[in-house]
Amino acid sequence: QVQLVESGGGLVQAGGSLRLSCAASGRTFSSYFMGWFRQAPGKEREFVAAINWSGSSTYYVGSVKGRFTISRDNAKNTVYLQMNSLKPEDTAVYYCAADRVNYGSSWPSVLVDYWGQGTQVTVSS
């Protein structure tokens, strides 16, 4: 069982930055494929970024490539999402996710093993 708690969301102007954190419980954190999804009002939850167990491979949806960076610290059981050059269309609730399977960038939300509670990110124009 893995419990995920996100933090770091908030309100930021377009062009600004935020860093999201996801703290995980459990002694097997380092073996999990970790990532971030987001859900905007009226839209489906979509994949944003993911990272393999060692941090050696990262995956991104095209719309955030070059702006967002995912990383993890297995000693702290934490995964991060650094978001730069934020745009109004990045506004959404961001969810941390964990899975035993490495899906790469084709990670279906319906197959996620564990979810965090979500953190709101609002980008004003």
Side-chain angles (χ1 to χ4, degrees):
Q1 188 78 6
V2 175
Q3 291 185 326
L4 306 172
V5 179
E6 302 98 332
S7 61
L11 173 64
V12 64
Q13 288 188 331
S17 298
L18 282 174
R19 189 175 83 154
L20 305 183
S21 299
C22 172
S25 65
R27 291 175 289 180
T28 59
F29 170 79
S30 61
S31 66
Y32 277 83
F33 184 64
M34 299 295 299
W36 294 90
F37 287 71
R38 66 187 178 186
Q39 188 166 19
K43 295 188 177 181
E44 293 187 354
R45 193 169 298 189
E46 68 166 349
F47 168 81
V48 175
I51 188 166
N52 72 337
W53 70 272
S54 68
S56 61
S57 295
T58 57
Y59 312 88
Y60 299 94
V61 68
S63 59
V64 308
K65 282 183 180 177
R67 300 189 299 122
F68 290 12
T69 303
I70 189 171
S71 61
R72 67 190 295 163
D73 185 338
N74 288 339
K76 296 182 178 180
N77 279 15
T78 302
V79 63
Y80 305 97
L81 185 68
Q82 178 67 44
M83 305 186 294
N84 298 329
S85 302
L86 282 161
K87 304 176 181 181
E89 51 264 44
D90 294 318
T91 295
V93 177
Y94 283 70
Y95 295 91
C96 182
D99 209 293
R100 296 175 183 86
V101 177
N102 182 335
Y103 289 98
S105 59
S106 301
W107 191 1
S109 61
V110 296
L111 296 181
V112 169
D113 284 341
Y114 301 102
W115 290 105
Q117 83 286 355
T119 185
Q120 176 70 46
V121 171
T122 303
V123 184
S124 64
S125 58

